[in-house]
């Protein structure tokens, strides 16, 4: 439909005489219908912009807008239609500008109706957000006094009831949280339309104080009706308006109002208002906003019942702080910041050394005034203690917000340090060292340890990390024994390798550091007798290593060759000393060898022709089911789905498949079925790619077809009467894989309940 509208609009622009009024009405109606659909609203808006200079189209749009406004008094759908139109179209916003008084009148009548509350709040927010200049004219009236422009807030008319309704919505506990958040945003946007910075700052402060009065007012009776409460709120807000007008600023440049946020209130109304201030307020005009808001947010996170919204405030606070720091750096505020806020207040101030037993009290260094105010040490200790207690919060999404807050804390501290002139180079890492020292005392069974070390890795550096934590390698290997810890430990390992590479002078030096600290632990992990540890090391650590250091593949294979006794004497080029040769049992050696070949093939370090036949054949005939399963996966699974089967692969598969049909181990049978399925897909896709542009079947296709025929016949022969359950189950599974792979199910439309037919590929 949209393409047809675009074509019609183009025809109208090229041949306007070919369109009559009826055709234009149909086009406008269709465009106004499409603008309400979020998926195609942007493209529809482009069509409307192209028709801005077509008079008949603009007249019809204006006629439709007038019709919407005429029915708005009686029909709720008209209000919803207005909201959808102005949300997606700047063209339609121009047509609604002259009807803002009528919309405010409609909002005044309906704010006491709870079913319509969300829509009314949304429309109010859109008015202040999309029409700031027009709403400023409506809300404020200009006067003249002593040759200076003065402004007074219009206490009559349509503005006051709307603002009162928004305040009432914020404190209505029986309404949904989204509506209350939007209402708080609308209040802040209402303050943003004030004519100068001084008035805006004063309104932020008075609105906050007013919400505190409403939240704790003793005269508000819970038995009062909504209308009575609204009347009481209206009377109180009249006093606030008078206070705003009384202390209104004469000159915006001389304004220096500060926002003093009370930290006593932790209800959702104050959560909503702080959220709105952090998102929408012009915080750079408010002195000490961040210091005041930070204490309030800490109290809310500690005692609020709205955990997700509370910690989201903390993330928003850090985002706002980062924005201020970025603007300070970009606009050249370096000297100003250092001379006013930072002069005489070092970014890191040394405090008394305390015991290291408690996480929240073991900081030797902490941030000072530029970020957290005068009592910075206490504030940072409270923040870190709060993050530590809630690191694995049970509420969905809260743990992620806590992790993000920790990362933003580290980044904000670094940015603040770069803005100071008097920072000593060694002091920059003191805060991070203190955090690392405290993290190192956590047991390796705690997820927070690896996640916090991953965040700190880029700030403390590889040398400090490895020197201060001598047991780090063993703790990472131990964490692989638990699925809950394996992912976070591997993320830290990958981050650590990336930092090592970035800090080293060249790649060879980074590889030497990895080899010195991580070669032995990695081989111990991939050759471990603990099946879960070996599996997680092969799945997580080994791929992370080879992705960052491709040269590690040769080092690993050489280390295994030396452990196997293949290289009896190490030449001068070898990077492994005789006294550091790795000692492995035969089972451990096979585990490690298969793991390295499997991951190397997945990352395209080797192909099927490069497989080491001797060790692979030994693994395929080994009595350990895990080793045999890994060997089959190495043979069958490749990253390229169209990779042709080599002669080595075909020979090894024919030799060993017949001897693994009656295995009693169910995990092995499932792994074998999965590997054979991938192998059959390779045969199919590689054969199709070779046949696609050929007049006849290439010679390379016949061995693969012969293998599939052999596999199918062998499975049929395994279904002889009296055969064991394991053999028959494996045979049926493999036959099923053959049929599913080489029989295509066309995605044709079918009737419900009717199974589509199959056909051979």
């Amino acid at each position: 439909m949209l393409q047809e509208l675009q074509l019609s609009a183009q025809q109208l622009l090229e041949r306007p005489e070919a369109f009559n009024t009826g055709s234009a009405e149909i086009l406008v109606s269709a465009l106004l219908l499409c603008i309400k659909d979020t998926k195609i609203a942007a493209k529809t808006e482009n069509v409307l912009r192209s028709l801005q200079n077509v008079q008949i189209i603009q007249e019809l749009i204006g006629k439709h807008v007038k019709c919407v406004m005429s029915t708005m008094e009686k029909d709720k759908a008209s209000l919803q239609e207005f909201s959808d139109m102005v949300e997606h179209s700047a063209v339609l916003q121009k047509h609604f500008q002259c009807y803002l008084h009528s919309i405010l009148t409609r909002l005044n009548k309906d704010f006491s109706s709870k079913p319509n509350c969300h829509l009314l709040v949304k429309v109010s927010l859109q008015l202040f957000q999309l029409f700031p200049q027009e709403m400023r004219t409506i809300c404020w009236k200009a006067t003249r006094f002593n040759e200076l422009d003065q402004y007074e807030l219009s206490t009559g008319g349509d503005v006051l009831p709307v603002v009162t309704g928004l305040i009432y919505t914020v404190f209505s506990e029986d309404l949904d949280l989204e509506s209350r958040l939007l209402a708080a945003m609308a209040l802040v946007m209402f303050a943003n339309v004030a004519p100068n910075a001084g008035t805006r700052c004063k309104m932020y402060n008075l609105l906050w104080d007013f919400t505190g009065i409403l939240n704790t007012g003793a005269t508000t009776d819970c038995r009062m009706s909504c209308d009575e409460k609204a009347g009481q709120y209206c009377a109180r807000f009249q006093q606030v308006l008078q206070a705003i007008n009384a202390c209104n600023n004469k000159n915006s440049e001389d304004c220096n109002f500060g926002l003093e946020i009370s930290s006593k209130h932790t209800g959702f109304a104050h959560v909503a208002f702080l959220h709105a201030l952090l998102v929408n307020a012009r915080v750079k005009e408010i002195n000490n906003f961040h210091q005041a808001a930070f204490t309030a947010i800490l109290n809310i996170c500690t005692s609020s019942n709205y955990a997700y919204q509370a910690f989201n405030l903390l993330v928003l606070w850090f985002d706002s702080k980062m924005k201020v720091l970025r603007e300070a750096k970009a606009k050249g505020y370096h000297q100003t910041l250092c001379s006013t806020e930072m002069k005489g207040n070092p970014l890191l101030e040394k405090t008394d050394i305390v015991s290291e037993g408690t996480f929240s009290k073991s900081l030797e260094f902490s941030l000072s005034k530029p970020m957290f105010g005068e009592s910075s040490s206490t504030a940072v200790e409270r923040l870190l203690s709060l993050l530590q207690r809630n690191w694995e919060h049970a509420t969905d999404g809260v743990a992620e917000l806590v992790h993000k807050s920790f990362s933003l804390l580290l980044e904000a501290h670094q940015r603040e340090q770069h803005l100071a002139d008097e920072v000593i180079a060694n002091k920059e890492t003191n805060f991070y060292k203190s955090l690392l020292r405290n993290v190192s005392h956590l047991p390796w069974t705690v997820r927070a340890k690896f996640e916090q070390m991953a965040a700190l890795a880029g700030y403390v550096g590889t040398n400090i990390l490895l020197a201060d934590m001598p047991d780090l390698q063993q703790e990472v290997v131990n964490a692989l024994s638990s699925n809950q810890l394996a992912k976070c430990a591997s993320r830290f390992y990958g981050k650590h390798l990336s930092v090592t590479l970035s800090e080293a002078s060249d790649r060879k030096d980074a590889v030497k550091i990895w080899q010195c600290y991580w070669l032995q632990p990695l081989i111990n992990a991939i050759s471990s007798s603990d099946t879960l540890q070996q599996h997680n090391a092969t799945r997580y650590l080994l791929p992370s290593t080879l992705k960052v250091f491709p040269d590690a593949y040769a080092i690993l294979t050489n280390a295994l060759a030396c452990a196997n006794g293949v290289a009896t004497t190490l030449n001068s080029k070898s990077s492994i000393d005789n006294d550091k040769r790795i000692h492995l049992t035969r089972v451990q050696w096979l585990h490690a060898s298969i793991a390295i070949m499997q991951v190397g093939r997945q990352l395209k370090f080797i192909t099927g022709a490069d497989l080491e036949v001797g060790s692979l054949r030994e693994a395929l005939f080994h009595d350990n089911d895990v080793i045999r399963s890994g060997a089959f996966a190495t043979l069958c699974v490749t990253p390229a789905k169209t990779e042709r089967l080599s002669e080595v692969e075909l020979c090894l598969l024919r030799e060993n498949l017949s001897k693994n049909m009656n295995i009693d181990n169910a995990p092995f049978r499932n792994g074998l079925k999965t590997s054979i399925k991938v192998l059959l897909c390779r045969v199919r896709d590689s054969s199709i790619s070779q046949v696609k542009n050929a007049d006849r079947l290439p010679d390379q296709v016949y061995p693969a077809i012969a293998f599939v025929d052999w596999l199918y016949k062998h499975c049929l022969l395994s279904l002889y009467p009296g055969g064991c359950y394991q053999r028959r189950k494996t045979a049926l599974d493999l036959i099923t894989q053959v049929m599913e792979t080489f029989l295509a199910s066309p995605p044709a439309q079918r009737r419900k309940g009717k199974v589509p037919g199959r056909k051979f590929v």
Side-chain angles (χ1 to χ4, degrees):
M1 180 179 179
L2 183 59
Q3 294 178 353
E4 296 175 355
L5 292 177
Q6 292 172 341
L7 181 60
S8 300
Q10 184 177 0
Q11 293 175 354
L12 177 60
L13 292 173
E14 294 175 355
R15 299 177 57 193
E17 69 278 358
F19 275 74
N20 54 26
T21 305
S23 302
E25 287 180 353
I26 295 175
L27 177 61
V28 169
S29 299
L31 287 172
L32 295 179
L33 183 64
C34 292
I35 199 67
K36 302 174 186 178
D37 190 347
T38 307
K39 297 180 180 179
I40 59 176
K43 295 181 179 179
T44 308
E45 170 68 2
N46 293 333
V47 177
L48 287 172
R49 287 178 180 175
S50 65
L51 299 174
Q52 277 184 329
N53 297 326
V54 181
Q55 184 177 358
I56 185 174
I57 297 296
Q58 297 305 314
E59 290 177 356
L60 291 173
I61 293 177
K63 182 179 178 181
H64 183 81
V65 168
K66 189 175 181 180
C67 180
V68 170
M69 296 306 304
S70 63
T71 58
M72 186 172 287
E73 291 290 335
K74 301 178 181 179
D75 189 8
K76 174 189 173 183
S78 299
L79 197 61
Q80 180 67 54
E81 188 174 2
F82 160 78
S83 176
D84 295 337
M85 287 182 177
V86 298
E87 182 178 0
H88 300 121
S89 175
V91 176
L92 296 177
Q93 290 174 14
K94 297 179 181 179
H95 288 274
F96 279 103
Q97 285 179 356
C98 57
Y99 297 104
L100 297 183
H101 276 288
S102 301
I103 298 171
L104 286 172
T105 303
R106 170 63 194 270
L107 295 178
N108 296 343
K109 295 181 179 180
D110 291 350
F111 248 112
S112 60
S113 176
K114 293 181 182 178
N116 301 342
C117 184
H118 182 81
L119 177 59
L120 298 173
V121 170
K122 181 180 178 182
V123 172
S124 302
L125 177 60
Q126 289 173 330
L127 290 178
F128 292 114
Q129 194 171 22
L130 302 176
F131 307 98
Q133 299 296 333
E134 293 78 7
M135 293 303 296
R136 178 177 300 171
T137 304
I138 296 173
C139 297
W140 296 87
K141 57 182 180 180
T143 60
R144 197 79 176 169
F145 181 74
N146 290 339
E147 298 182 354
L148 292 174
D149 288 333
Q150 291 273 30
Y151 293 90
E152 290 185 358
L153 187 61
S154 177
T155 56
D158 302 318
V159 180
L160 179 58
V162 172
V163 176
T164 305
L166 291 173
I167 293 178
Y168 174 73
T169 302
V170 172
F171 285 93
S172 297
E173 297 183 358
D174 53 344
L175 294 176
D176 59 288
L177 299 184
E178 183 180 359
S179 297
R180 299 172 70 183
L181 281 173
L182 291 178
M185 287 189 180
L187 286 171
V188 174
M189 296 303 295
F190 162 66
N192 283 346
V193 301
N196 51 51
T199 308
R200 281 192 292 271
C201 297
K202 196 63 181 177
M203 289 187 67
Y204 294 151
N205 205 352
L206 290 176
L207 280 172
W208 178 262
D209 291 342
F210 181 60
T211 52
I213 293 171
L214 289 182
N215 199 41
T216 58
T219 60
T220 302
D221 191 350
C222 62
R223 295 171 295 180
M224 295 174 62
S225 65
C226 294
D227 293 337
E228 292 174 339
K229 287 183 179 180
Q232 189 176 92
Y233 294 162
C234 182
R236 292 182 178 180
F237 198 67
Q238 287 279 3
Q239 301 173 0
V240 175
L241 298 182
Q242 293 174 4
I244 292 176
N245 288 331
C247 62
N248 196 6
N249 188 25
K250 294 184 178 181
N251 193 341
S252 60
E253 296 180 356
D254 298 332
C255 168
N256 197 24
F257 287 117
L259 179 65
E260 299 178 0
I261 297 180
S262 173
S263 61
K264 298 178 181 179
H265 310 301
T266 58
F268 184 78
H270 299 85
V271 174
F273 195 77
L274 266 178
H275 180 274
L277 281 173
L278 290 169
V279 172
N280 295 316
R282 304 180 184 182
V283 295
K284 61 184 179 181
E285 298 177 350
I286 307 173
N287 298 333
N288 300 323
F289 169 77
H290 290 95
Q291 289 84 348
F294 182 74
T295 304
I297 292 173
L298 282 184
N299 292 335
I300 290 173
C301 291
T302 304
S303 58
S304 177
N305 295 326
Y306 307 96
Y308 183 86
Q309 289 79 6
F311 281 97
N312 189 43
L313 280 180
L314 191 58
V315 173
L316 290 174
W317 183 88
F318 275 113
D319 289 338
S320 178
K321 183 67 177 179
M322 297 289 291
K323 183 178 179 180
V324 172
L325 292 175
R326 284 193 295 267
E327 290 182 357
K329 183 178 181 181
K331 295 183 178 181
Y333 294 164
H334 180 88
Q335 298 296 332
T336 303
L337 287 174
C338 294
S339 61
T340 56
E341 291 185 358
M342 299 183 180
K343 187 175 181 180
N345 294 284
L347 294 176
L348 293 175
E349 57 181 4
K350 190 171 181 180
T351 59
D352 295 334
I353 300 177
V354 294
S355 62
E356 298 179 348
T358 305
F359 182 85
S360 61
K361 294 184 178 180
S362 57
L363 288 175
E364 181 179 354
F365 295 93
S366 65
L367 293 171
S368 73
K369 184 176 180 180
M371 181 173 285
F372 300 109
E374 297 179 357
S375 58
S376 59
S377 177
T378 304
V380 175
E381 289 178 4
R382 284 188 62 194
L383 173 62
L384 293 174
S385 177
L386 178 70
L387 296 179
Q388 185 72 1
R389 291 196 309 270
N390 295 277
W391 196 266
E392 298 183 25
H393 201 284
T395 305
D396 290 342
V398 174
E400 289 76 9
L401 293 174
V402 172
H403 302 170
K404 188 174 181 180
S405 299
F406 185 79
S407 300
L408 289 173
L409 166 66
L410 303 180
E411 185 181 355
H413 171 61
Q414 186 183 54
R415 285 183 178 273
E416 237 184 20
Q417 294 235 337
H418 291 166
L419 286 175
D421 284 331
E422 302 174 359
V423 175
I424 301 175
N426 294 333
K427 282 190 176 183
E428 184 173 349
T429 58
N430 286 334
F431 176 67
Y432 304 121
K433 286 181 180 179
S434 301
L435 289 177
L436 181 63
R437 183 169 60 253
N438 289 278
V439 171
S440 65
H441 288 84
L442 295 174
W444 65 266
T445 54
V446 178
R447 290 180 56 185
K449 179 167 189 173
F450 298 104
E451 291 169 343
Q452 292 177 9
M453 284 195 303
L456 286 165
Y459 298 96
V460 297
T462 300
N463 296 331
I464 296 176
L465 189 66
L466 295 173
D468 291 354
M469 303 183 68
D471 299 330
L472 177 63
Q473 297 92 322
Q474 188 58 43
E475 289 180 345
V476 172
V477 173
N478 292 340
L480 298 176
S481 301
S482 169
N483 284 329
Q484 185 181 9
L485 301 173
K487 289 186 178 181
C488 55
S490 63
R491 282 195 293 267
F492 158 71
Y493 177 74
K495 178 69 175 180
H496 168 64
L497 294 185
S498 300
V499 173
T500 302
L501 181 61
S502 63
E503 291 181 348
S505 57
D506 56 12
R507 184 174 290 272
K508 290 183 179 180
D509 292 341
V511 172
K512 289 181 180 179
I513 295 174
W514 168 82
Q515 182 178 345
C516 178
Y517 288 97
W518 291 100
L519 177 61
Q520 178 73 53
L522 180 58
I523 291 182
N524 291 343
I526 62 177
S527 62
S528 174
S529 58
D530 186 345
T531 304
L532 184 58
Q533 187 181 86
Q534 190 268 339
H535 171 75
N536 287 330
T538 305
R539 184 180 178 183
Y540 297 118
L541 292 196
L542 196 53
S544 299
T545 304
L546 297 180
K547 287 177 182 178
V548 179
F549 301 130
D551 298 338
Y553 184 81
I555 297 176
L556 287 167
T557 53
N558 187 37
L560 287 182
C562 295
N564 192 30
V566 175
T568 54
T569 57
L570 298 175
N571 53 32
S572 58
K573 295 182 180 180
S574 178
S575 56
I576 302 177
D577 299 332
N578 285 317
D579 56 346
K580 294 183 179 180
R581 182 177 297 178
I582 298 172
H583 301 283
L584 300 173
T585 64
R586 196 60 186 171
V587 174
Q588 291 176 331
W589 185 88
L590 285 174
H591 272 301
S593 179
I594 293 301
I596 293 173
M597 278 194 291
Q598 183 178 354
V599 176
R601 190 167 190 188
Q602 291 175 359
L603 299 178
K604 299 182 180 181
F605 285 95
I606 58 174
T607 61
D610 302 326
L611 294 173
E612 190 172 342
V613 181
S615 58
L616 197 56
R617 178 178 279 110
E618 181 182 356
L620 289 169
F621 282 98
H622 202 275
D623 59 353
N624 189 309
D625 294 337
V626 177
I627 294 178
R628 287 204 315 279
S629 180
F632 273 112
T634 304
L635 276 177
C636 301
V637 181
T638 61
K641 296 182 179 180
T642 59
E643 182 178 343
R644 186 171 57 87
L645 270 71
S646 64
E647 295 182 1
V648 173
E649 291 173 315
L650 291 173
C651 180
L652 291 175
L653 286 170
R654 283 177 181 252
E655 288 180 10
N656 293 276
L657 267 177
S658 58
K659 297 178 176 59
N660 288 275
M661 297 291 289
N662 60 345
I663 303 302
D664 192 38
N665 191 337
F668 174 82
R669 293 200 305 269
N670 292 331
L672 178 64
K673 180 176 68 173
T674 303
S675 299
I676 294 299
K677 182 178 181 179
V678 175
L679 180 76
L680 293 175
C681 291
R682 281 179 53 197
V683 171
R684 181 194 63 194
D685 296 343
S686 61
S687 300
I688 290 176
S689 64
Q690 295 179 56
V691 174
K692 187 177 296 183
N693 298 322
D695 297 334
R696 63 182 183 86
L697 287 177
D699 296 338
Q700 295 86 351
V701 176
Y702 287 103
I705 296 176
F707 171 76
V708 175
D709 289 339
W710 171 85
L711 176 63
Y712 183 72
K713 292 176 181 178
H714 181 74
C715 292
L716 289 178
L717 293 175
S718 298
L719 298 175
Y720 60 86
C724 65
Y725 164 80
Q726 291 80 2
R727 179 179 293 276
R728 287 181 294 165
K729 179 68 168 62
T730 305
L732 289 174
D733 287 340
L734 296 184
I735 290 175
T736 302
Q737 297 304 324
V738 172
M739 302 298 289
E740 289 182 352
T741 303
F742 293 96
L743 287 176
S745 299
Q749 295 182 357
R750 58 176 182 174
R751 295 180 180 178
K752 186 176 181 181
K754 184 178 180 181
V755 180
R758 288 177 175 266
K759 63 178 181 180
F760 285 100
V761 175

